[in-house]
Amino acid sequence: MKERIYNFSAGPAVIPEEVLKEAQENLFSLPGVGMSVLEISHRSKTFDTIHAEANQNIRTLFDMSSDYEILYLQGGASLQFSMVPLNLMPPKNKADYILTGAWSKKAQKEAKRVGAVNVAASTEAENFKRIPKQSELKLDPDASYVHYTSNNTIFGTEWSSEPKVGNVPLVCDASSDILSKKLDINKYALIYAGAQKNMGPSGVTFVIIRKDMLERSSDNLHTMLNYKIHVENNSLYNTPSVFGIYIIQLVTKWLLKNGGLDAMYKTNIEKANYIYNTIDNSGGYYKGHADKDSRSLMNLTFRLPSEELEKKFIAEATAADFNGLKGHRSVGGLRASIYNAFPVKGCADLAEFMKEFQKKNG
Ligand code: PMP
Protein backbone atom coordinates (compact mmCIF):
# COMPACT_ATOMS: atom_id res chain seq x y z
CA MET A 1 0.00 0.00 0.00
CA LYS A 2 1.37 3.40 -1.01
CA GLU A 3 -1.52 5.61 0.10
CA ARG A 4 -1.63 7.00 3.64
CA ILE A 5 -4.61 6.28 5.87
CA TYR A 6 -5.98 8.23 8.84
CA ASN A 7 -3.75 7.48 11.81
CA PHE A 8 -5.47 8.14 15.15
CA SER A 9 -2.70 6.44 17.14
CA ALA A 10 -1.90 7.85 20.60
CA GLY A 11 1.83 7.59 20.00
CA PRO A 12 4.07 7.08 18.17
CA ALA A 13 1.75 9.11 16.05
CA VAL A 14 1.21 10.96 12.82
CA ILE A 15 4.05 13.16 11.51
CA PRO A 16 3.49 15.98 8.99
CA GLU A 17 3.56 14.65 5.43
CA GLU A 18 5.89 17.44 4.37
CA VAL A 19 8.35 16.35 7.05
CA LEU A 20 8.17 12.70 6.01
CA LYS A 21 8.75 13.67 2.40
CA GLU A 22 11.73 15.89 3.18
CA ALA A 23 13.24 13.24 5.43
CA GLN A 24 12.66 10.58 2.78
CA GLU A 25 14.16 12.70 0.04
CA ASN A 26 17.26 13.38 2.08
CA LEU A 27 17.60 10.00 3.70
CA PHE A 28 19.98 8.66 1.09
CA SER A 29 22.18 11.72 1.16
CA LEU A 30 21.76 15.06 2.90
CA PRO A 31 22.19 17.87 0.34
CA GLY A 32 25.82 18.90 0.18
CA VAL A 33 26.87 16.24 2.69
CA GLY A 34 26.84 12.99 0.71
CA MET A 35 25.77 10.97 3.77
CA SER A 36 22.45 10.20 5.35
CA VAL A 37 21.44 11.77 8.64
CA LEU A 38 21.48 8.21 9.98
CA GLU A 39 25.18 7.96 9.23
CA ILE A 40 26.67 11.22 10.45
CA SER A 41 28.51 11.85 13.69
CA HIS A 42 26.72 13.66 16.46
CA ARG A 43 29.89 15.78 16.70
CA SER A 44 29.86 16.74 13.01
CA LYS A 45 29.31 20.25 11.73
CA THR A 46 26.22 19.02 9.89
CA PHE A 47 24.57 17.76 13.03
CA ASP A 48 25.65 20.85 14.91
CA THR A 49 23.65 22.93 12.43
CA ILE A 50 20.58 20.67 12.67
CA HIS A 51 20.71 20.73 16.48
CA ALA A 52 21.15 24.51 16.65
CA GLU A 53 18.29 25.03 14.21
CA ALA A 54 15.95 22.78 16.22
CA ASN A 55 16.80 24.81 19.33
CA GLN A 56 16.31 28.11 17.56
CA ASN A 57 12.96 27.01 16.11
CA ILE A 58 11.72 26.00 19.54
CA ARG A 59 12.93 29.26 21.10
CA THR A 60 11.11 31.20 18.39
CA LEU A 61 7.91 29.15 18.67
CA PHE A 62 7.73 29.65 22.43
CA ASP A 63 9.37 33.07 22.62
CA MET A 64 11.69 31.44 25.07
CA SER A 65 14.12 33.55 27.06
CA SER A 66 17.78 32.76 27.65
CA ASP A 67 16.88 31.78 31.23
CA TYR A 68 15.99 28.36 29.83
CA GLU A 69 18.02 25.47 28.44
CA ILE A 70 16.81 22.88 25.94
CA LEU A 71 17.80 19.23 26.22
CA TYR A 72 17.24 16.18 24.03
CA LEU A 73 17.59 13.11 26.19
CA GLN A 74 16.65 9.45 25.99
CA GLY A 75 14.72 7.01 28.15
CA GLY A 76 11.36 8.53 27.25
CA ALA A 77 9.13 10.66 29.41
CA SER A 78 9.23 7.69 31.78
CA LEU A 79 12.86 8.35 32.70
CA GLN A 80 11.88 11.94 33.50
CA PHE A 81 9.57 10.50 36.17
CA SER A 82 12.85 9.64 37.95
CA MET A 83 15.15 12.41 36.80
CA VAL A 84 12.79 15.16 37.96
CA PRO A 85 12.71 14.07 41.62
CA LEU A 86 16.36 12.95 41.66
CA ASN A 87 17.51 16.38 40.52
CA LEU A 88 14.89 18.74 41.86
CA MET A 89 13.58 17.28 45.10
CA PRO A 90 16.65 17.71 47.33
CA PRO A 91 17.44 19.07 49.80
CA LYS A 92 13.88 19.39 51.15
CA ASN A 93 12.90 16.04 49.69
CA LYS A 94 9.24 16.82 49.34
CA ALA A 95 7.12 17.63 46.31
CA ASP A 96 3.48 18.10 45.33
CA TYR A 97 1.93 15.89 42.65
CA ILE A 98 -1.43 16.52 41.01
CA LEU A 99 -2.88 13.21 39.86
CA THR A 100 -4.97 13.41 36.70
CA GLY A 101 -4.31 10.05 35.12
CA ALA A 102 -2.17 6.96 34.75
CA TRP A 103 0.93 8.91 33.72
CA SER A 104 0.83 11.28 36.69
CA LYS A 105 0.49 8.24 38.93
CA LYS A 106 3.55 6.69 37.35
CA ALA A 107 5.45 9.94 37.87
CA GLN A 108 4.36 9.99 41.50
CA LYS A 109 5.47 6.39 42.00
CA GLU A 110 9.07 7.24 41.07
CA ALA A 111 9.06 10.46 43.10
CA LYS A 112 8.10 8.50 46.20
CA ARG A 113 11.39 6.61 45.93
CA VAL A 114 13.22 9.91 46.36
CA GLY A 115 11.20 11.74 49.00
CA ALA A 116 7.81 12.64 50.41
CA VAL A 117 5.01 13.16 47.92
CA ASN A 118 1.99 15.24 48.79
CA VAL A 119 -0.94 14.45 46.51
CA ALA A 120 -2.18 17.99 45.98
CA ALA A 121 -5.31 16.70 44.22
CA SER A 122 -6.54 13.56 42.52
CA THR A 123 -9.57 12.87 40.35
CA GLU A 124 -9.00 9.12 40.38
CA ALA A 125 -12.28 8.44 42.25
CA GLU A 126 -14.05 9.77 39.13
CA ASN A 127 -11.90 7.68 36.78
CA PHE A 128 -9.94 10.81 35.91
CA LYS A 129 -12.78 12.32 33.89
CA ARG A 130 -11.85 15.86 34.84
CA ILE A 131 -9.07 18.25 35.75
CA PRO A 132 -9.23 19.47 39.37
CA LYS A 133 -10.22 23.06 40.00
CA GLN A 134 -7.68 25.50 41.37
CA SER A 135 -9.67 25.65 44.63
CA GLU A 136 -9.24 21.89 45.10
CA LEU A 137 -5.44 21.98 45.08
CA LYS A 138 -3.89 21.43 48.49
CA LEU A 139 -0.48 22.85 47.74
CA ASP A 140 2.43 22.95 50.15
CA PRO A 141 4.07 26.40 49.83
CA ASP A 142 7.35 24.82 50.97
CA ALA A 143 7.38 21.99 48.38
CA SER A 144 10.45 21.60 46.16
CA TYR A 145 8.17 21.69 43.12
CA VAL A 146 4.66 20.94 41.88
CA HIS A 147 4.31 18.27 39.19
CA TYR A 148 1.34 18.00 36.85
CA THR A 149 0.46 16.37 33.54
CA SER A 150 -0.88 18.95 31.10
CA ASN A 151 -2.68 16.45 28.86
CA ASN A 152 -3.86 13.02 29.93
CA THR A 153 -3.36 10.84 26.90
CA ILE A 154 -5.39 7.90 28.14
CA PHE A 155 -8.38 9.70 29.69
CA GLY A 156 -8.62 12.53 27.18
CA THR A 157 -8.47 15.46 29.58
CA GLU A 158 -6.30 18.56 29.37
CA TRP A 159 -5.57 21.56 31.57
CA SER A 160 -6.89 24.70 29.88
CA SER A 161 -4.31 26.73 31.78
CA GLU A 162 -1.54 25.78 34.16
CA PRO A 163 -2.22 25.42 37.89
CA LYS A 164 -1.31 28.49 39.93
CA VAL A 165 1.43 27.47 42.32
CA GLY A 166 2.81 30.75 43.66
CA ASN A 167 6.55 30.73 44.00
CA VAL A 168 6.94 26.96 43.99
CA PRO A 169 8.66 25.72 40.79
CA LEU A 170 6.19 24.20 38.34
CA VAL A 171 7.11 20.97 36.54
CA CYS A 172 5.01 19.67 33.68
CA ASP A 173 4.78 16.42 31.76
CA ALA A 174 3.63 17.81 28.42
CA SER A 175 4.25 14.62 26.44
CA SER A 176 0.92 14.65 24.66
CA ASP A 177 0.25 18.34 24.10
CA ILE A 178 3.65 19.97 23.72
CA LEU A 179 3.70 22.34 20.71
CA SER A 180 -0.09 22.14 20.36
CA LYS A 181 -0.46 25.69 21.68
CA LYS A 182 1.61 28.58 22.97
CA LEU A 183 2.77 28.30 26.57
CA ASP A 184 4.13 31.04 28.75
CA ILE A 185 7.39 29.24 29.46
CA ASN A 186 8.17 31.75 32.22
CA LYS A 187 5.57 30.04 34.38
CA TYR A 188 7.58 26.81 34.37
CA ALA A 189 10.71 25.51 36.02
CA LEU A 190 10.82 22.40 33.86
CA ILE A 191 8.78 20.89 31.03
CA TYR A 192 9.39 17.44 29.60
CA ALA A 193 7.88 15.44 26.79
CA GLY A 194 8.47 12.20 24.95
CA ALA A 195 8.78 13.37 21.34
CA GLN A 196 6.65 10.68 19.75
CA LYS A 197 3.34 12.54 19.64
CA ASN A 198 3.73 16.14 18.56
CA MET A 199 7.45 16.49 17.94
CA GLY A 200 8.84 13.55 16.02
CA PRO A 201 9.75 9.90 16.43
CA SER A 202 10.16 7.95 19.65
CA GLY A 203 13.65 7.71 21.07
CA VAL A 204 14.14 11.34 21.99
CA THR A 205 12.86 13.12 25.09
CA PHE A 206 12.52 16.86 25.06
CA VAL A 207 13.28 18.88 28.20
CA ILE A 208 13.13 22.62 28.87
CA ILE A 209 14.74 23.57 32.17
CA ARG A 210 15.13 26.95 33.85
CA LYS A 211 18.81 27.58 34.54
CA ASP A 212 18.43 28.21 38.27
CA MET A 213 17.08 24.66 38.68
CA LEU A 214 20.48 23.27 37.70
CA GLU A 215 21.93 24.30 41.05
CA ARG A 216 19.88 21.53 42.58
CA SER A 217 21.53 18.71 40.62
CA SER A 218 23.91 17.03 43.03
CA ASP A 219 27.35 15.88 41.89
CA ASN A 220 26.52 12.57 43.54
CA LEU A 221 23.91 11.77 40.93
CA HIS A 222 24.70 9.23 38.25
CA THR A 223 26.11 11.15 35.31
CA MET A 224 23.40 10.22 32.84
CA LEU A 225 20.68 11.19 35.32
CA ASN A 226 22.10 14.64 35.99
CA TYR A 227 20.49 17.59 34.17
CA LYS A 228 23.50 19.79 34.89
CA ILE A 229 25.84 17.40 33.06
CA HIS A 230 23.50 17.23 30.08
CA VAL A 231 23.29 21.03 29.93
CA GLU A 232 27.07 21.42 30.25
CA ASN A 233 27.44 19.01 27.35
CA ASN A 234 24.63 20.48 25.22
CA SER A 235 22.83 17.08 25.19
CA LEU A 236 26.00 15.47 23.79
CA TYR A 237 27.42 13.78 26.85
CA ASN A 238 26.64 10.57 25.00
CA THR A 239 25.28 9.91 21.53
CA PRO A 240 21.83 11.46 21.31
CA SER A 241 19.05 10.44 18.94
CA VAL A 242 20.51 12.19 15.90
CA PHE A 243 17.61 11.15 13.70
CA GLY A 244 15.07 12.17 16.35
CA ILE A 245 16.56 15.65 16.67
CA TYR A 246 16.67 15.96 12.87
CA ILE A 247 12.94 15.20 12.68
CA ILE A 248 12.22 17.67 15.51
CA GLN A 249 14.07 20.29 13.50
CA LEU A 250 11.87 19.55 10.47
CA VAL A 251 8.66 19.47 12.52
CA THR A 252 9.41 22.79 14.20
CA LYS A 253 10.32 24.31 10.83
CA TRP A 254 6.93 23.07 9.53
CA LEU A 255 5.19 24.70 12.51
CA LEU A 256 6.92 28.02 11.91
CA LYS A 257 6.09 27.92 8.22
CA ASN A 258 2.43 27.34 9.07
CA GLY A 259 2.04 30.31 11.40
CA GLY A 260 3.49 29.04 14.67
CA LEU A 261 1.74 27.82 17.79
CA ASP A 262 -1.20 30.24 17.85
CA ALA A 263 -2.20 29.14 14.36
CA MET A 264 -1.69 25.50 15.34
CA TYR A 265 -3.89 25.96 18.39
CA LYS A 266 -6.67 27.48 16.28
CA THR A 267 -6.53 24.53 13.90
CA ASN A 268 -6.48 22.09 16.82
CA ILE A 269 -9.69 23.63 18.19
CA GLU A 270 -11.32 23.45 14.77
CA LYS A 271 -10.30 19.79 14.45
CA ALA A 272 -11.52 18.75 17.89
CA ASN A 273 -14.82 20.61 17.40
CA TYR A 274 -15.78 18.40 14.46
CA ILE A 275 -15.75 15.40 16.77
CA TYR A 276 -16.92 16.96 20.04
CA ASN A 277 -19.86 18.62 18.25
CA THR A 278 -20.82 15.26 16.77
CA ILE A 279 -20.75 13.73 20.26
CA ASP A 280 -22.78 16.59 21.74
CA ASN A 281 -25.36 16.52 18.93
CA SER A 282 -25.85 12.76 18.99
CA GLY A 283 -28.65 12.83 21.55
CA GLY A 284 -26.55 10.78 23.97
CA TYR A 285 -25.61 8.07 21.46
CA TYR A 286 -21.96 9.07 21.78
CA LYS A 287 -20.83 9.93 25.30
CA GLY A 288 -17.57 11.73 25.99
CA HIS A 289 -15.49 10.36 28.87
CA ALA A 290 -14.15 13.77 29.89
CA ASP A 291 -16.22 16.52 31.46
CA LYS A 292 -16.76 19.28 28.91
CA ASP A 293 -14.55 21.81 30.67
CA SER A 294 -11.71 19.27 30.87
CA ARG A 295 -11.74 18.03 27.29
CA SER A 296 -8.48 17.41 25.50
CA LEU A 297 -7.77 18.81 22.05
CA MET A 298 -5.32 15.99 21.42
CA ASN A 299 -6.96 12.76 22.65
CA LEU A 300 -10.74 12.59 22.31
CA THR A 301 -12.28 9.76 24.32
CA PHE A 302 -15.87 8.61 23.89
CA ARG A 303 -18.16 5.66 24.24
CA LEU A 304 -21.07 4.14 22.33
CA PRO A 305 -24.26 2.68 23.88
CA SER A 306 -22.74 -0.82 24.19
CA GLU A 307 -19.43 -2.66 23.91
CA GLU A 308 -20.83 -4.60 20.94
CA LEU A 309 -21.47 -1.37 19.09
CA GLU A 310 -18.01 -0.12 20.00
CA LYS A 311 -16.47 -3.28 18.53
CA LYS A 312 -18.56 -2.90 15.41
CA PHE A 313 -17.63 0.77 15.11
CA ILE A 314 -13.92 0.00 15.41
CA ALA A 315 -14.13 -2.85 12.88
CA GLU A 316 -16.00 -0.76 10.32
CA ALA A 317 -13.84 2.31 10.94
CA THR A 318 -10.68 0.25 10.50
CA ALA A 319 -12.02 -1.18 7.25
CA ALA A 320 -12.66 2.41 6.11
CA ASP A 321 -9.01 3.33 6.88
CA PHE A 322 -9.60 5.13 10.19
CA ASN A 323 -6.79 3.47 12.12
CA GLY A 324 -6.03 3.30 15.84
CA LEU A 325 -9.37 4.32 17.34
CA LYS A 326 -9.59 1.70 20.05
CA GLY A 327 -9.57 3.33 23.48
CA HIS A 328 -7.22 2.40 26.30
CA ARG A 329 -8.54 -0.52 28.35
CA SER A 330 -8.84 1.61 31.52
CA VAL A 331 -11.41 3.87 29.84
CA GLY A 332 -12.85 1.54 27.20
CA GLY A 333 -14.66 2.82 24.14
CA LEU A 334 -12.84 4.90 21.58
CA ARG A 335 -10.03 7.37 21.49
CA ALA A 336 -9.25 9.62 18.55
CA SER A 337 -5.77 11.08 18.91
CA ILE A 338 -5.56 14.08 16.62
CA TYR A 339 -2.15 15.60 17.22
CA ASN A 340 -0.83 18.64 15.32
CA ALA A 341 0.00 16.68 12.19
CA PHE A 342 -3.38 14.98 11.96
CA PRO A 343 -5.27 16.55 9.03
CA VAL A 344 -8.42 18.69 9.47
CA LYS A 345 -10.11 16.62 6.77
CA GLY A 346 -9.55 13.48 8.83
CA CYS A 347 -11.56 14.99 11.70
CA ALA A 348 -14.35 16.09 9.37
CA ASP A 349 -14.38 12.62 7.80
CA LEU A 350 -14.50 10.88 11.18
CA ALA A 351 -17.41 13.13 12.24
CA GLU A 352 -19.27 12.12 9.07
CA PHE A 353 -18.48 8.46 9.70
CA MET A 354 -19.83 8.78 13.26
CA LYS A 355 -23.07 10.34 12.04
CA GLU A 356 -23.53 7.64 9.40
CA PHE A 357 -22.81 4.90 11.91
CA GLN A 358 -25.38 6.30 14.32
CA LYS A 359 -27.95 6.51 11.51
CA LYS A 360 -27.44 2.84 10.68
CA ASN A 361 -27.08 1.56 14.22
CA GLY A 362 -28.93 4.09 16.37
N1 PMP B 1 3.45 10.91 29.95
C1 PMP B 1 2.41 10.96 29.09
C2 PMP B 1 1.39 12.04 29.27
C3 PMP B 1 2.30 10.02 28.08
O1 PMP B 1 1.27 10.06 27.23
C4 PMP B 1 3.29 9.02 27.94
C5 PMP B 1 3.28 7.99 26.84
N2 PMP B 1 2.14 7.76 26.18
C6 PMP B 1 4.34 8.99 28.87
C7 PMP B 1 4.39 9.96 29.84
C8 PMP B 1 5.42 7.96 28.78
O2 PMP B 1 6.23 8.27 27.73
P1 PMP B 1 7.43 7.36 27.22
O3 PMP B 1 6.82 6.18 26.55
O4 PMP B 1 8.16 8.27 26.29
O5 PMP B 1 8.24 6.98 28.40
Side-chain angles (χ1 to χ4, degrees), residues 10 75-79 81 103 149 151-153 173 175-176 194 196-197:
S78 299
L79 188 60
F81 298 164
W103 297 111
T149 314
N151 183 76
N152 299 282
T153 325
D173 173 0
S175 292
S176 48
Q196 65 270 21
K197 297 162 203 300

Side-chain angles (χ1 to χ4, degrees), residues 4-108:
R4 284 171 62 77
I5 62 173
Y6 288 139
N7 175 9
F8 290 94
S9 167
V14 59
I15 288 178
E17 289 193 4
E18 254 176 81
V19 169
L20 293 176
K21 283 186 183 143
E22 186 172 343
Q24 183 187 33
E25 217 170 89
N26 295 337
L27 194 61
F28 193 70
S29 168
L30 281 166
V33 178
M35 291 179 282
S36 156
V37 72
L38 297 173
E39 302 165 302
I40 59 171
S41 165
H42 58 298
R43 312 227 177 256
S44 63
K45 189 88 195 68
T46 306
F47 178 69
D48 206 29
T49 307
I50 291 170
H51 186 181
E53 205 174 306
N55 283 346
Q56 191 47 55
N57 291 350
I58 288 160
R59 286 191 185 278
T60 307
L61 285 166
F62 281 124
D63 247 334
M64 198 189 296
S65 83
S66 57
D67 292 344
Y68 290 83
E69 298 281 359
I70 294 171
L71 294 174
Y72 305 93
L73 306 178
Q74 291 171 77
S78 299
L79 188 60
Q80 296 309 304
F81 298 164
S82 303
M83 281 181 72
V84 165
L86 284 167
N87 285 267
L88 302 189
M89 235 205 250
K92 289 189 255 180
N93 290 328
K94 57 176 186 169
D96 285 354
Y97 275 69
I98 305 174
L99 305 188
T100 51
W103 297 111
S104 1
K105 278 182 73 181
K106 285 191 174 161
Q108 176 215 24

Side-chain angles (χ1 to χ4, degrees), residues 59 63-70 185-186 188-190 208-214 231:
R59 286 191 185 278
D63 247 334
M64 198 189 296
S65 83
S66 57
D67 292 344
Y68 290 83
E69 298 281 359
I70 294 171
I185 299 294
N186 295 320
Y188 296 87
L190 190 147
I208 297 172
I209 183 165
R210 204 173 62 211
K211 283 177 181 163
D212 65 325
M213 288 294 114
L214 298 169
V231 166

